[in-house]
Amino acid sequence: PHLDHLEAESIRIIREAVAVAKRPGMLFSMGKDSMVMWTLAVKAFWPEPPPFPLAVIDTRWKFREMYEFRAYMESLPETNVSVHINPEAIKRDMNPFDFGSATHTDITKTQALKQVLDHHQFDFVFGGARRDEERSRAKERVFSIRNAKHGWDPKSQRPELWNLYNTALPKGQSMRVFPLSNWTELDVWRYIERESIRVVPLYFSRTRPF
């Protein structure tokens, strides 16, 4: 019953966002939370495919199994996968060893994400963050306003009482939507087991070359 309640709440959030969105999108990292979020989206619009693309940020430094898993996702008939690499990272041949992890992350992830949001002009963007992950994410609303530069101001966020969500979007702003906000990591793994959701095999122990 607990997982059923979380599932129903998340599906309702996804449907509410899509109902008012002009250009919805879903950030997709290929992690366990992304796969649960995608599974919920498929259920929300079944038998039609979810009406938005999966936005994947490629740093060019992911594990081989993740690229294989991305190919699997791209092969599914219900998925529309959009992959983006920051052109600056290609031009400078950036890697975490020569440039340092902080610079590499900023260019290949943070700046690349902003490029994706600007290019597609998403107004409602789904993310897989959960409140139990860290303090900053615990402050996030389910429907979280972002300014024109994709910045987040906790003082400008709207109250969400009794599961009532304000989806009104001022011009020039966008909305991040977090359907898994009320899930815990244990909820995620139990749902993956219950629904037999396929995830990247790196999560599981195995003898591997190194």
Side-chain angles (χ1 to χ4, degrees):
H2 174 64
L3 288 180
D4 290 339
H5 173 77
L6 290 175
E7 179 187 66
E9 179 185 59
S10 299
I11 288 176
R12 177 198 165 202
I13 290 168
I14 293 171
R15 286 173 175 168
E16 282 204 26
V18 171
V20 296
K22 294 180 180 178
R23 296 181 65 88
M26 178 175 284
L27 302 178
F28 190 74
S29 68
M30 294 177 286
K32 65 185 189 307
D33 303 288
S34 288
M35 286 306 299
V36 167
M37 185 169 58
W38 176 245
T39 300
L40 293 167
V42 171
K43 286 191 174 189
F45 302 103
W46 183 264
E48 295 295 320
F52 45 76
L54 299 180
V56 177
I57 306 298
D58 188 357
T59 65
R60 303 195 303 161
W61 280 85
K62 296 184 181 296
F63 290 101
R64 181 181 61 200
E65 287 90 342
M66 296 187 71
Y67 288 107
E68 293 172 350
F69 193 80
R70 190 179 81 189
Y72 156 72
M73 291 298 297
E74 291 173 330
S75 70
L76 299 178
E78 65 270 23
T79 58
N80 175 15
V81 181
S82 176
V83 181
H84 178 75
I85 303 174
N86 189 340
E88 182 182 353
I90 299 175
K91 182 179 179 180
R92 299 172 63 183
D93 194 22
M94 298 196 69
N95 62 77
F97 303 103
D98 296 329
F99 292 84
S101 60
T103 301
H104 180 262
T105 299
D106 179 64
I107 299 297
T108 63
K109 289 186 178 181
T110 306
Q111 300 305 321
L113 173 59
K114 292 180 180 179
Q115 292 170 0
V116 166
L117 297 176
D118 289 336
H119 174 73
H120 291 282
Q121 296 183 330
F122 293 133
D123 53 354
F124 282 74
V125 187
F126 295 104
R130 306 185 319 272
R131 288 192 177 117
D132 74 327
E133 291 183 276
E134 59 176 340
R135 293 180 181 179
S136 63
R137 292 185 173 181
K139 298 178 182 179
E140 285 276 19
R141 300 290 194 266
V142 175
F143 284 80
S144 183
I145 287 287
R146 294 296 196 273
N147 61 30
K149 296 183 179 179
H150 313 297
W152 174 69
D153 180 7
K155 295 181 180 180
S156 68
Q157 303 306 312
R158 303 158 178 177
E160 293 178 340
L161 306 175
W162 305 291
N163 291 331
L164 297 177
Y165 305 115
N166 185 344
T167 59
L169 193 61
K171 186 177 181 179
Q173 296 186 345
S174 61
M175 190 82 77
R176 297 286 178 87
V177 186
F178 301 105
L180 304 184
S181 283
N182 294 328
W183 295 55
T184 66
E185 184 173 2
L186 184 58
D187 294 330
V188 169
W189 280 115
R190 284 176 171 168
Y191 191 75
I192 288 172
E193 181 183 33
R194 191 184 83 170
E195 301 294 318
S196 299
I197 299 173
R198 183 172 176 176
V199 295
V200 177
L202 288 170
Y203 280 112
F204 306 113
S205 61
R206 173 184 158 192
T207 302
R208 295 182 171 91
F210 64 92

mmCIF file of all heavy atoms in Angstrom, residues 100-126:
data_model
loop_
_atom_site.group_PDB
_atom_site.id
_atom_site.type_symbol
_atom_site.label_atom_id
_atom_site.label_comp_id
_atom_site.label_asym_id
_atom_site.label_seq_id
_atom_site.Cartn_x
_atom_site.Cartn_y
_atom_site.Cartn_z
ATOM 1 N N GLY A 100 40.819 18.785 -13.949
ATOM 2 C CA GLY A 100 40.282 18.725 -12.593
ATOM 3 C C GLY A 100 38.798 18.418 -12.607
ATOM 4 O O GLY A 100 38.078 18.802 -13.536
ATOM 5 N N SER A 101 38.332 17.755 -11.569
ATOM 6 C CA SER A 101 36.932 17.308 -11.555
ATOM 7 C C SER A 101 35.950 18.470 -11.498
ATOM 8 O O SER A 101 34.874 18.417 -12.108
ATOM 9 C CB SER A 101 36.702 16.375 -10.364
ATOM 10 O OG SER A 101 36.986 17.039 -9.143
ATOM 11 N N ALA A 102 36.293 19.549 -10.765
ATOM 12 C CA ALA A 102 35.366 20.679 -10.621
ATOM 13 C C ALA A 102 35.137 21.368 -11.971
ATOM 14 O O ALA A 102 33.990 21.621 -12.367
ATOM 15 C CB ALA A 102 35.897 21.668 -9.594
ATOM 16 N N THR A 103 36.221 21.679 -12.686
ATOM 17 C CA THR A 103 36.095 22.336 -13.993
ATOM 18 C C THR A 103 35.414 21.426 -14.990
ATOM 19 O O THR A 103 34.551 21.859 -15.771
ATOM 20 C CB THR A 103 37.481 22.749 -14.524
ATOM 21 O OG1 THR A 103 38.089 23.646 -13.590
ATOM 22 C CG2 THR A 103 37.373 23.436 -15.874
ATOM 23 N N HIS A 104 35.801 20.168 -14.976
ATOM 24 C CA HIS A 104 35.205 19.203 -15.907
ATOM 25 C C HIS A 104 33.704 19.078 -15.667
ATOM 26 O O HIS A 104 32.914 19.076 -16.620
ATOM 27 C CB HIS A 104 35.884 17.842 -15.738
ATOM 28 C CG HIS A 104 35.345 16.786 -16.645
ATOM 29 N ND1 HIS A 104 34.406 15.858 -16.226
ATOM 30 C CD2 HIS A 104 35.581 16.511 -17.956
ATOM 31 C CE1 HIS A 104 34.110 15.047 -17.225
ATOM 32 N NE2 HIS A 104 34.792 15.419 -18.281
ATOM 33 N N THR A 105 33.290 19.006 -14.414
ATOM 34 C CA THR A 105 31.871 18.900 -14.086
ATOM 35 C C THR A 105 31.103 20.147 -14.502
ATOM 36 O O THR A 105 29.998 20.056 -15.042
ATOM 37 C CB THR A 105 31.685 18.651 -12.578
ATOM 38 O OG1 THR A 105 32.314 17.413 -12.215
ATOM 39 C CG2 THR A 105 30.210 18.585 -12.211
ATOM 40 N N ASP A 106 31.692 21.308 -14.271
ATOM 41 C CA ASP A 106 31.021 22.555 -14.631
ATOM 42 C C ASP A 106 30.781 22.649 -16.132
ATOM 43 O O ASP A 106 29.680 22.987 -16.579
ATOM 44 C CB ASP A 106 31.852 23.755 -14.164
ATOM 45 C CG ASP A 106 31.209 25.076 -14.547
ATOM 46 O OD1 ASP A 106 30.111 25.368 -14.062
ATOM 47 O OD2 ASP A 106 31.826 25.811 -15.348
ATOM 48 N N ILE A 107 31.793 22.329 -16.924
ATOM 49 C CA ILE A 107 31.678 22.455 -18.380
ATOM 50 C C ILE A 107 30.814 21.362 -18.974
ATOM 51 O O ILE A 107 29.925 21.627 -19.803
ATOM 52 C CB ILE A 107 33.074 22.437 -19.039
ATOM 53 C CG1 ILE A 107 33.922 23.615 -18.536
ATOM 54 C CG2 ILE A 107 32.947 22.486 -20.557
ATOM 55 C CD1 ILE A 107 33.368 24.978 -18.893
ATOM 56 N N THR A 108 31.051 20.133 -18.569
ATOM 57 C CA THR A 108 30.374 19.001 -19.221
ATOM 58 C C THR A 108 28.990 18.705 -18.664
ATOM 59 O O THR A 108 28.189 18.051 -19.340
ATOM 60 C CB THR A 108 31.237 17.727 -19.122
ATOM 61 O OG1 THR A 108 31.393 17.373 -17.727
ATOM 62 C CG2 THR A 108 32.599 17.939 -19.748
ATOM 63 N N LYS A 109 28.706 19.170 -17.445
ATOM 64 C CA LYS A 109 27.392 18.903 -16.855
ATOM 65 C C LYS A 109 26.570 20.178 -16.663
ATOM 66 O O LYS A 109 25.510 20.336 -17.268
ATOM 67 C CB LYS A 109 27.548 18.173 -15.514
ATOM 68 C CG LYS A 109 28.017 16.736 -15.644
ATOM 69 C CD LYS A 109 28.000 16.041 -14.282
ATOM 70 C CE LYS A 109 28.421 14.577 -14.403
ATOM 71 N NZ LYS A 109 28.385 13.875 -13.086
ATOM 72 N N THR A 110 27.084 21.099 -15.833
ATOM 73 C CA THR A 110 26.308 22.287 -15.496
ATOM 74 C C THR A 110 26.035 23.154 -16.712
ATOM 75 O O THR A 110 24.883 23.515 -16.999
ATOM 76 C CB THR A 110 27.028 23.108 -14.413
ATOM 77 O OG1 THR A 110 27.316 22.261 -13.296
ATOM 78 C CG2 THR A 110 26.176 24.274 -13.958
ATOM 79 N N GLN A 111 27.092 23.514 -17.441
ATOM 80 C CA GLN A 111 26.911 24.356 -18.626
ATOM 81 C C GLN A 111 26.166 23.617 -19.729
ATOM 82 O O GLN A 111 25.357 24.207 -20.449
ATOM 83 C CB GLN A 111 28.278 24.839 -19.137
ATOM 84 C CG GLN A 111 29.071 25.668 -18.130
ATOM 85 C CD GLN A 111 28.296 26.866 -17.612
ATOM 86 O OE1 GLN A 111 27.575 27.534 -18.364
ATOM 87 N NE2 GLN A 111 28.435 27.145 -16.327
ATOM 88 N N ALA A 112 26.432 22.333 -19.862
ATOM 89 C CA ALA A 112 25.725 21.539 -20.874
ATOM 90 C C ALA A 112 24.231 21.481 -20.574
ATOM 91 O O ALA A 112 23.399 21.535 -21.488
ATOM 92 C CB ALA A 112 26.314 20.138 -20.938
ATOM 93 N N LEU A 113 23.881 21.376 -19.298
ATOM 94 C CA LEU A 113 22.468 21.349 -18.924
ATOM 95 C C LEU A 113 21.779 22.657 -19.309
ATOM 96 O O LEU A 113 20.673 22.647 -19.863
ATOM 97 C CB LEU A 113 22.335 21.101 -17.426
ATOM 98 C CG LEU A 113 20.922 21.207 -16.852
ATOM 99 C CD1 LEU A 113 19.982 20.216 -17.527
ATOM 100 C CD2 LEU A 113 20.945 20.994 -15.346
ATOM 101 N N LYS A 114 22.415 23.776 -19.037
ATOM 102 C CA LYS A 114 21.834 25.065 -19.403
ATOM 103 C C LYS A 114 21.655 25.172 -20.921
ATOM 104 O O LYS A 114 20.666 25.731 -21.400
ATOM 105 C CB LYS A 114 22.711 26.201 -18.886
ATOM 106 C CG LYS A 114 22.734 26.317 -17.360
ATOM 107 C CD LYS A 114 23.634 27.459 -16.899
ATOM 108 C CE LYS A 114 23.642 27.571 -15.381
ATOM 109 N NZ LYS A 114 24.522 28.664 -14.904
ATOM 110 N N GLN A 115 22.613 24.641 -21.664
ATOM 111 C CA GLN A 115 22.495 24.657 -23.129
ATOM 112 C C GLN A 115 21.295 23.850 -23.598
ATOM 113 O O GLN A 115 20.568 24.269 -24.508
ATOM 114 C CB GLN A 115 23.785 24.107 -23.750
ATOM 115 C CG GLN A 115 25.004 25.000 -23.556
ATOM 116 C CD GLN A 115 26.288 24.310 -23.981
ATOM 117 O OE1 GLN A 115 26.285 23.163 -24.427
ATOM 118 N NE2 GLN A 115 27.412 25.013 -23.840
ATOM 119 N N VAL A 116 21.080 22.697 -22.970
ATOM 120 C CA VAL A 116 19.941 21.852 -23.332
ATOM 121 C C VAL A 116 18.627 22.568 -23.039
ATOM 122 O O VAL A 116 17.712 22.587 -23.860
ATOM 123 C CB VAL A 116 20.005 20.510 -22.565
ATOM 124 C CG1 VAL A 116 18.676 19.766 -22.669
ATOM 125 C CG2 VAL A 116 21.122 19.643 -23.105
ATOM 126 N N LEU A 117 18.533 23.176 -21.863
ATOM 127 C CA LEU A 117 17.301 23.863 -21.482
ATOM 128 C C LEU A 117 17.024 25.047 -22.403
ATOM 129 O O LEU A 117 15.877 25.298 -22.786
ATOM 130 C CB LEU A 117 17.403 24.332 -20.028
ATOM 131 C CG LEU A 117 17.549 23.223 -18.972
ATOM 132 C CD1 LEU A 117 17.737 23.832 -17.597
ATOM 133 C CD2 LEU A 117 16.342 22.291 -18.987
ATOM 134 N N ASP A 118 18.078 25.773 -22.778
ATOM 135 C CA ASP A 118 17.907 26.919 -23.681
ATOM 136 C C ASP A 118 17.540 26.462 -25.096
ATOM 137 O O ASP A 118 16.710 27.079 -25.760
ATOM 138 C CB ASP A 118 19.186 27.757 -23.722
ATOM 139 C CG ASP A 118 19.429 28.512 -22.422
ATOM 140 O OD1 ASP A 118 18.451 28.767 -21.691
ATOM 141 O OD2 ASP A 118 20.600 28.832 -22.134
ATOM 142 N N HIS A 119 18.184 25.391 -25.549
ATOM 143 C CA HIS A 119 17.952 24.917 -26.909
ATOM 144 C C HIS A 119 16.523 24.406 -27.086
ATOM 145 O O HIS A 119 15.838 24.746 -28.065
ATOM 146 C CB HIS A 119 18.949 23.819 -27.263
ATOM 147 C CG HIS A 119 18.688 23.173 -28.586
ATOM 148 N ND1 HIS A 119 18.948 23.801 -29.790
ATOM 149 C CD2 HIS A 119 18.175 21.941 -28.908
ATOM 150 C CE1 HIS A 119 18.615 23.007 -30.792
ATOM 151 N NE2 HIS A 119 18.146 21.871 -30.278
ATOM 152 N N HIS A 120 16.069 23.576 -26.153
ATOM 153 C CA HIS A 120 14.738 22.985 -26.275
ATOM 154 C C HIS A 120 13.638 23.904 -25.751
ATOM 155 O O HIS A 120 12.468 23.666 -26.025
ATOM 156 C CB HIS A 120 14.680 21.649 -25.529
ATOM 157 C CG HIS A 120 15.497 20.560 -26.159
ATOM 158 N ND1 HIS A 120 15.072 19.855 -27.265
ATOM 159 C CD2 HIS A 120 16.713 20.053 -25.838
ATOM 160 C CE1 HIS A 120 15.988 18.959 -27.601
ATOM 161 N NE2 HIS A 120 16.995 19.057 -26.753
ATOM 162 N N GLN A 121 14.031 24.901 -24.968
ATOM 163 C CA GLN A 121 13.062 25.836 -24.374
ATOM 164 C C GLN A 121 11.984 25.096 -23.581
ATOM 165 O O GLN A 121 10.784 25.393 -23.687
ATOM 166 C CB GLN A 121 12.435 26.719 -25.458
ATOM 167 C CG GLN A 121 13.447 27.633 -26.147
ATOM 168 C CD GLN A 121 12.799 28.550 -27.172
ATOM 169 O OE1 GLN A 121 11.788 28.213 -27.777
ATOM 170 N NE2 GLN A 121 13.383 29.727 -27.350
ATOM 171 N N PHE A 122 12.437 24.144 -22.779
ATOM 172 C CA PHE A 122 11.506 23.428 -21.911
ATOM 173 C C PHE A 122 10.897 24.406 -20.904
ATOM 174 O O PHE A 122 11.611 25.206 -20.300
ATOM 175 C CB PHE A 122 12.223 22.318 -21.144
ATOM 176 C CG PHE A 122 12.714 21.190 -22.001
ATOM 177 C CD1 PHE A 122 14.002 20.701 -21.844
ATOM 178 C CD2 PHE A 122 11.895 20.599 -22.944
ATOM 179 C CE1 PHE A 122 14.469 19.654 -22.631
ATOM 180 C CE2 PHE A 122 12.347 19.546 -23.735
ATOM 181 C CZ PHE A 122 13.634 19.073 -23.573
ATOM 182 N N ASP A 123 9.582 24.321 -20.701
ATOM 183 C CA ASP A 123 8.968 25.131 -19.649
ATOM 184 C C ASP A 123 8.767 24.311 -18.367
ATOM 185 O O ASP A 123 8.978 24.820 -17.268
ATOM 186 C CB ASP A 123 7.656 25.766 -20.118
ATOM 187 C CG ASP A 123 6.679 24.749 -20.700
ATOM 188 O OD1 ASP A 123 7.049 23.566 -20.852
ATOM 189 O OD2 ASP A 123 5.536 25.156 -21.006
ATOM 190 N N PHE A 124 8.413 23.037 -18.505
ATOM 191 C CA PHE A 124 8.306 22.141 -17.347
ATOM 192 C C PHE A 124 9.293 20.994 -17.562
ATOM 193 O O PHE A 124 9.218 20.283 -18.560
ATOM 194 C CB PHE A 124 6.885 21.607 -17.209
ATOM 195 C CG PHE A 124 5.922 22.590 -16.614
ATOM 196 C CD1 PHE A 124 5.467 23.667 -17.364
ATOM 197 C CD2 PHE A 124 5.478 22.459 -15.304
ATOM 198 C CE1 PHE A 124 4.587 24.587 -16.820
ATOM 199 C CE2 PHE A 124 4.592 23.371 -14.758
ATOM 200 C CZ PHE A 124 4.147 24.444 -15.513
ATOM 201 N N VAL A 125 10.222 20.844 -16.623
ATOM 202 C CA VAL A 125 11.286 19.853 -16.759
ATOM 203 C C VAL A 125 11.249 18.908 -15.559
ATOM 204 O O VAL A 125 11.351 19.349 -14.409
ATOM 205 C CB VAL A 125 12.673 20.520 -16.835
ATOM 206 C CG1 VAL A 125 13.741 19.482 -17.150
ATOM 207 C CG2 VAL A 125 12.684 21.641 -17.848
ATOM 208 N N PHE A 126 11.106 17.627 -15.825
ATOM 209 C CA PHE A 126 11.083 16.636 -14.752
ATOM 210 C C PHE A 126 12.507 16.266 -14.330
ATOM 211 O O PHE A 126 13.387 16.083 -15.171
ATOM 212 C CB PHE A 126 10.353 15.369 -15.208
ATOM 213 C CG PHE A 126 8.897 15.575 -15.502
ATOM 214 C CD1 PHE A 126 8.449 15.644 -16.816
ATOM 215 C CD2 PHE A 126 7.976 15.703 -14.477
ATOM 216 C CE1 PHE A 126 7.111 15.835 -17.103
ATOM 217 C CE2 PHE A 126 6.629 15.896 -14.753
ATOM 218 C CZ PHE A 126 6.200 15.965 -16.063
#
